[in-house]
Amino acid sequence: MSRTFPSKVSFLRNAIEECKNMRELKQIHSQIITSPYRHENQHHFLISRLLFFCAFSDSGSVGYATNVFRDIKEPNLYVYNIMIRAYACKFGESNDTRLYQSLKLYKRMLFSCIAPDFLTFPFLLKECTRRLDGLVGSTIHGQAIKFGLYDDVFVQNSMISLYMACGFVIRAKKLFDEMFSRDVVSWNTMIIGYLRSGDLDEALDLFRRMKMKNVISWNSIITGFVQGGRAKEALEFFQQMQSSSDDDVVKPDKITIASVLSACAYLGAMDHGNWAHGYLKRSGIECDVVIGTALVDMYGKCGCVGRAYAVFKEMSEKDTLAWTAMISVFALHGYAKEAFDTFKEMEDEGVKPNHVTFVGLLSACAHYGLVGKGRWCFDFMRHVYLMEPLVHHYACMVAILSRAGLFDEAERFIRSMPMEPDVFVWGALLGGCQMHGNVELGETVAQYLIDLDPLNHAFYVNLCDIYAKASRFDDVKRIRNIMKERGIRKGIPGCSMVEVDGVVHEFSVRGSPEGVIEEPVWVLNELCKVMNFEDWVHCIRDLYMEAHIA
């Protein structure tokens, strides 16, 4: 019997490790309970292994783990940590009935006179971070200090993550500065926190000070700068990532490429986008639905509709975002028929559209002047897919109607909105007034927008443009004087970015940092020579207005 006992335990342990689903696990659990060769320590060991599988395996069940845990008479720290981790990681919904179950379990553990260790606190803090509960998180921080775990790097990293997520940036920085030992996670957590709070310069300063960077470090800074509107710098970071020394080389992954493609789409940098696409093929990185969608978006925004469609057709799997990206590309370039044909294919494939899909379709109608199709699309979204239109959909419909000169219907449509119309809705109406020279309505809408946001330069410029097209230059001068008196200037000058031979050049009314402004100025001068006098006057007027706003 003494030889049979270890072999039985070994058999059950191996069975748990090779278990593939809950049905098998329940059979193993039954054998553990009914086994005649049960020694208390060995039984506890097997139950702990079984609990671990239930809690963390993709085929497991936290609910079943809870039932197993309840049957353990004297759970130890290892068992408590398993369940605290399971509750913190698995139950993340705010409406979950097991709200803060991990914290309740922690209290029970303390009442049982079991002291926590460095594995306990990170998962408690993780739940607080997910729920953005800085108050409870600070209490947990105090508990970590009480039990002498304040200097543990895992606990400190978790605290930094919590403070950054809750917006307590100063606290996070203080904790980071006081750390005796920092690992790559410490630096990444701070960088990601600064990026999410919009402080790109502080994130960049930390990134440059960081000695050892991993792929998360590079992905964070590249993605953060793309999302922060500094896509050109994001591409420069990617180039630095490629040219790092052999000792520090970090290979890009799918997240890197997706972010780089987003930067290329933002800049219209086709050469960089082509290179990234080629790198995908050379490196063997899987071109999954996320990468495929990013490629479609990049090629579309760079003006290569054919390339975007070719990538789209090659995708073996297409989700709602992929179909929506292709529809939006067609809409952006005025291919309304192709956008609706793609939508029909999407429906035939059984893929359900989302709100963004219908924004794309309505935009296609606005660009192509399809008023009837736009009305149909708006009603189709509501009555077939039971989606309540958002303010963006109303703005698209107002654009469709006002561009067609249907101002009475557009005004009625705005009055029927269930929500307060925002600046995009009124801006769409104002755009129609500019297009059709509707001075009376344009004045009213522009003045309303100015009253709504008196420091926004765009509304004054739109009103000036309406007056100028109606040859009411005294009114143009009057609005200009109002802007001057109120000190209203364009905070950031309008700029364009053009990729030439793989280099992205930026141009604005203030010049070009690369010093290549002379060539486009020469082209503009030559164009002015061949334009008729009236168009030339309008061109000079627009440039004059832009220069004085900036």
Side-chain angles (χ1 to χ4, degrees):
M1 184 177 296
S2 60
R3 288 192 301 271
T4 309
F5 175 69
S7 62
K8 182 70 173 180
V9 171
S10 179
F11 169 77
L12 291 173
R13 181 192 62 200
N14 292 336
I16 294 171
E17 291 176 356
E18 296 173 5
C19 184
K20 297 178 180 178
N21 52 57
M22 284 302 300
R23 181 180 177 182
E24 291 181 10
L25 191 81
K26 289 177 181 179
Q27 292 174 350
I28 297 169
H29 189 196
S30 177
Q31 291 185 51
I32 294 172
I33 295 172
T34 60
S35 173
Y37 310 110
R38 288 196 305 167
H39 185 276
E40 187 174 346
N41 290 339
Q42 297 291 351
H43 175 78
H44 194 277
F45 167 77
L46 291 172
I47 289 295
S48 298
R49 296 303 302 166
L50 183 138
L51 193 67
F52 191 88
F53 176 92
C54 288
F56 304 119
S57 171
D58 292 336
S59 304
S61 166
V62 178
Y64 193 81
T66 301
N67 294 330
V68 173
F69 176 77
R70 286 172 182 160
D71 290 335
I72 300 175
K73 293 180 180 179
E74 295 182 1
N76 59 14
L77 176 60
Y78 176 75
V79 170
Y80 271 111
N81 279 344
I82 289 175
M83 293 307 300
I84 287 172
R85 177 182 171 185
Y87 286 135
C89 296
K90 297 287 185 177
F91 299 144
E93 298 299 325
S94 58
N95 59 352
D96 201 311
T97 56
R98 291 158 288 221
L99 185 66
Y100 286 123
Q101 192 68 25
S102 62
L103 293 174
K104 293 176 182 177
L105 207 57
Y106 172 68
K107 287 183 179 180
R108 176 180 164 183
M109 186 179 83
L110 294 181
F111 287 138
S112 300
C113 298
I114 298 175
D117 65 2
F118 68 96
L119 293 176
T120 311
F121 290 110
F123 295 110
L124 293 172
L125 292 167
K126 181 175 183 178
E127 180 160 345
C128 295
T129 301
R130 187 175 54 243
R131 299 183 189 279
L132 299 178
D133 194 334
L135 182 61
V136 174
S138 297
T139 304
I140 299 299
H141 190 184
Q143 288 279 301
I145 295 172
K146 175 183 175 181
F147 284 99
L149 297 167
Y150 173 76
D151 292 334
D152 183 83
V153 68
F154 297 107
V155 176
Q156 289 178 320
N157 288 345
S158 300
M159 277 308 310
I160 290 172
S161 180
L162 169 72
Y163 286 146
M164 276 297 193
C166 294
F168 303 150
V169 179
I170 295 175
R171 286 193 194 180
K173 186 178 186 304
K174 184 175 184 297
L175 182 57
F176 179 78
D177 291 340
E178 292 175 350
M179 291 177 71
F180 293 115
S181 176
R182 305 184 187 109
D183 60 10
V184 68
V185 177
S186 314
W187 289 89
N188 286 345
T189 304
M190 285 296 296
I191 290 168
I192 293 169
Y194 277 123
L195 290 170
R196 287 177 177 171
S197 66
D199 196 340
L200 273 62
D201 291 328
E202 195 66 39
L204 180 57
D205 177 64
L206 281 177
F207 181 78
R208 285 173 173 162
R209 287 164 48 197
M210 193 176 180
K211 293 180 180 179
M212 297 296 294
K213 303 177 179 70
N214 61 11
V215 70
I216 296 174
S217 315
W218 286 103
N219 286 350
S220 299
I221 203 73
I222 292 170
T223 304
F225 270 68
V226 172
Q227 294 175 349
R230 292 164 65 173
K232 187 177 179 183
E233 290 172 80
L235 286 184
E236 292 170 0
F237 295 138
F238 179 62
Q239 291 169 348
Q240 292 172 24
M241 182 183 185
Q242 298 288 112
S243 60
S244 56
S245 65
D246 292 337
D247 294 335
D248 320 323
V249 65
V250 178
K251 291 185 178 180
D253 61 9
K254 289 190 288 188
I255 297 174
T256 320
I257 298 301
S259 297
V260 168
L261 290 172
S262 295
C264 295
Y266 181 87
L267 297 170
M270 173 61 77
D271 288 347
H272 283 85
N274 280 332
W275 185 92
H277 194 181
Y279 179 84
L280 273 173
K281 297 175 181 177
R282 294 191 303 272
S283 64
I285 295 176
E286 180 192 4
C287 187
D288 60 9
V289 65
V290 175
I291 296 293
T293 302
L295 282 168
V296 169
D297 182 63
M298 183 275 294
Y299 280 124
K301 287 179 179 174
C302 289
C304 294
V305 181
R307 294 285 296 276
Y309 188 64
V311 171
F312 177 76
K313 295 301 287 184
E314 289 173 2
M315 292 173 66
S316 57
E317 179 188 353
K318 303 181 186 76
D319 61 5
T320 299
L321 296 181
W323 286 97
T324 298
M326 193 65 244
I327 289 169
S328 298
V329 167
F330 282 135
L332 179 66
H333 294 280
Y335 293 100
K337 180 181 182 301
E338 288 78 1
F340 278 93
D341 287 346
T342 304
F343 177 66
K344 181 66 169 58
E345 289 180 47
M346 180 182 183
E347 286 191 302
D348 291 343
E349 292 291 327
V351 181
K352 186 178 179 180
N354 60 18
H355 282 94
V356 183
T357 314
F358 286 102
V359 170
L361 293 171
L362 290 168
S363 297
C365 294
H367 286 305
Y368 212 72
L370 302 176
V371 179
K373 196 74 170 176
R375 293 191 188 106
W376 172 86
C377 185
F378 193 84
D379 291 337
F380 190 75
M381 173 179 65
R382 298 177 64 189
H383 299 132
V384 176
Y385 284 101
L386 304 177
M387 291 183 186
E388 281 303 313
L390 304 176
V391 69
H392 305 295
H393 303 103
Y394 283 98
C396 288
M397 275 305 302
V398 171
I400 291 170
L401 296 171
S402 58
R403 287 184 184 187
L406 302 173
F407 294 108
D408 291 339
E409 184 177 349
E411 287 186 86
R412 289 196 304 271
F413 189 80
I414 292 174
R415 285 194 292 270
S416 72
M417 289 176 59
M419 74 283 289
E420 190 72 22
D422 65 3
V423 292
F424 296 104
V425 174
W426 291 114
L429 183 60
L430 185 60
C433 293
Q434 286 178 277
M435 181 183 293
H436 291 278
N438 190 332
V439 180
E440 184 179 353
L441 180 58
E443 273 185 311
T444 303
V445 175
Q447 193 56 58
Y448 174 79
L449 287 168
I450 288 171
D451 292 340
L452 200 66
D453 188 0
L455 298 180
N456 192 324
H457 72 279
F459 307 141
Y460 297 90
V461 174
N462 289 336
L463 185 54
C464 284
D465 186 64
I466 290 173
Y467 284 142
K469 287 180 178 177
S471 300
R472 291 171 55 173
F473 297 108
D474 289 339
D475 286 318
V476 173
K477 186 176 180 180
R478 177 175 58 83
I479 298 299
R480 289 287 174 200
N481 288 334
I482 292 173
M483 292 179 70
K484 188 175 181 180
E485 290 170 3
R486 297 180 180 179
I488 297 171
R489 298 171 62 85
K490 191 173 183 180
I492 301 174
C495 68
S496 299
M497 282 173 278
V498 180
E499 185 185 37
V500 181
D501 297 330
V503 179
V504 178
H505 298 282
E506 181 177 319
F507 301 94
S508 80
V509 72
R510 292 179 181 172
S512 169
E514 289 86 4
V516 290
I517 194 69
E518 293 80 8
E519 293 181 26
V521 167
W522 180 85
V523 172
L524 286 173
N525 287 332
E526 291 300 309
L527 285 172
C528 285
K529 291 177 183 178
V530 298
M531 293 167 66
N532 63 47
F533 180 75
E534 182 180 355
D535 288 339
W536 181 82
V537 169
H538 284 305
C539 178
I540 295 299
R541 184 202 69 217
D542 291 341
L543 289 172
Y544 175 83
M545 289 168 61
E546 178 66 25
H548 279 71
I549 297 166

